[in-house]
Structures are given as structure tokens and as C-alpha cells.
Amino acid sequence: MKIATLLPSATEIVRSLGLEASLVGVSHSCRLPQRLEHLPRLTSTRVPVEADSASIDAFVREHLTGHSALYDLEIETLADLEPDIVVSQALCDVCAVATDDVEQAILTLACQPRLIDLTPNTLEDVFADIERVGRLLDVAGEASRLLESLQERVRRVVERSKRIPCSERPRVVFLEWLIPPFHGGHWNPELVEMAGAVNLLGRAGRPSTTTNWERISELDPEVLFVACCGFDLDRARDDLALVAESGAWQSLRAVKNERVYFADGNAFFSSPGPGLIDALELLAYTLHPDVHARPDKPEALAVPLRVLDERAISPAGSRRRAGGV
């Protein structure tokens, strides 16, 4: 069986099911261990990823309004690989190649692979996708074992969170973009609640939407958690240098009390696969380190604003050099 995956969560699910050796091609945005770097990249992006966040946002909005593709599928490469299975997504045209484009491309292939579309809006949907992919790829037993492990980790977090009094559950705004600010949608609001907090913006299972700093200032969250979609910490840091100069930012209780945290959105919160449980554990420990277990991996820790780097700005507005985490 030869499997082609067109987005990072699909690749993560396939690998987690023990089918890494069956992968013949992956998306341009997949992070892979060195042993898999030889795999052909089957997609490319038209998004100017090196541009500033405001320019990227404007580019995406313009293309979506005009129904122009944001991503391209390398059809010739896909045809040469002759996959039996193509795993794509039907959730978000901003995240990967649009489903219609994939379906049309597959019709032109002599091999006529089976298309599996992932459509998760909630954590439960992610689990359902894992079960379905496992069943369709004839590894239902492995999928069952994986789900049991993931669900047990969720259960442990939820049980610990139940011990946290309502009065000690911080009011949180979760952002997945800074310029302009987008509140986290889909699975992220439920991760916040499971971690023992009150989510102030966004509803579980609903898309992320644009907000503004005035609205965030009105809500005045006790904690601001930032995990930029598709970005690592370095890109989030670049945006912070611009956002943190505003009066709305400086007025936030979370900023004044040094309860602003940054996480690698690309690695943890953006991809609806098994890694979302790492994201849940990261978030839970960040919010309640006295209740939840510390993640084993150093990269699975949120970074406080004051230590993001030397460009981080203190609540008083003066620049200072960051220390260690």
C-alpha cells in the first residue's frame, strides 16, 4: 500500500498508526524526521510566507474572496508515485489544498487512488478521523490502541482539572494570529476548558474568526495564550514586537500581571492529529503548574512573554533582555 498525505495532520496520523513505511509523498508543510526527508513534497503554497502577518492576512482574504487557490498540487509527481491512498482534508482552504482541487486531480490519474478526507472540528472529530483512517487502511487494531492511549491522557487532564475551584479558573483569550488578532476556534476552545480555564472568545467546533485589540481589552483576560497558526515561536516573536507597542496591549491585565504565554502553534495547536494531546498537556501545565504534570519534552512548554527574547516588551513599555524559561 502506497499512501500520499497532503497536510501535516494526515502525515502525523498515518505515522502514528505504524504506516510510516507506506508513505510515498507528503505536503510541503510537513515537519519530518531526517529519515523521511527524501519523500517528495506534493504541495506548494502561493502564500508569501516570508511577508509580515498583516500582508499574509490580506493576501489570503483577497484570494479567498476571488476563489483563487492558495495551494497547488504537484499532479505530475503524484501521478509518478501512483499512490493507492491519498489523505487530504475538507475543513479549511487556508490550511491545505482545497478538496475540489484534489478530487479533480485524482480523476486525471491512471492509478485512481482512494481519497480519504479529514474533516475535524472538535477533538472528538479528530479521534473519529483516526478511527476511520485506521479502519480504511486495515490497521483498526493499531488505531484502537492509539485512541485508547490518547483518550486516557485526556481523561487524566480532565480529572485533574475537576479539582480546580471555579474561582481559580483563569479567564483566557486564546489567539492563533496576532496581526490582526484571530481567536482560536475548532478544537482550541475545548482544550482551554479541559485545561481548567474559562474560554472567553470562540466556541468549540466553530471556525476561528477575526477580533480586535479593543474587544480583547474589554474582556481583559487574566491569561493571554498565543499559538500562531502555522508559525513557530520566532515568527510569533516578530509580530509581538509590533503588537506590544499598542495601548490596548499595554492595558491588558494579563500583560500587567505577566501572564502572557507563547507556544509553537505549528508544532502543537494548528494540526488536528495526535499531537493535540501534547497541546492539551502543554496548555494545562501552563495554566496550572501546581495541578498538572510538566510535559517531558522541553519543546512542549509555553514561553512566558518576558522571556520570549530580547525584543519582548515589559508591561511598563520599556524594552528589556529576556532571561531563561
Side-chain angles (χ1 to χ4, degrees), residues 41-45 72-80 97:
R41 303 287 175 156
L42 298 173
T43 63
S44 59
T45 181
D72 293 314
L73 182 61
E74 307 299 329
I75 299 177
E76 290 185 4
T77 304
L78 188 63
D80 290 341
V97 180

Side-chain angles (χ1 to χ4, degrees), residues 17 60 105 108 127 131 141 149 167 193 234 250 270 312:
L17 292 174
V60 170
T108 69
F127 291 156
E131 185 279 329
S149 172
S167 60
E193 299 281 347
D234 287 340
Q250 297 294 339
S270 304

Side-chain angles (χ1 to χ4, degrees), residues 45 72 129-130 152 154 208 253 287 305 319:
T45 181
D72 293 314
D129 275 344
I130 292 173
E152 173 59 21
V154 172
S208 308
R253 182 188 338 184
L287 298 176
L305 167 64
R319 296 182 180 274

Side-chain angles (χ1 to χ4, degrees), residues 81-102:
L81 294 173
E82 298 185 329
D84 303 297
I85 303 288
V86 174
V87 188
S88 187
Q89 61 91 39
L91 176 66
C92 175
D93 289 349
V94 178
C95 300
V97 180
T99 297
D100 289 347
D101 293 344
V102 177

Side-chain angles (χ1 to χ4, degrees), residues 203-221:
R203 292 172 54 190
R206 302 294 295 273
S208 308
T209 57
T210 316
T211 183
N212 55 64
W213 290 108
E214 289 72 22
R215 173 60 175 154
I216 296 170
S217 181
E218 289 173 2
L219 292 170
D220 200 17

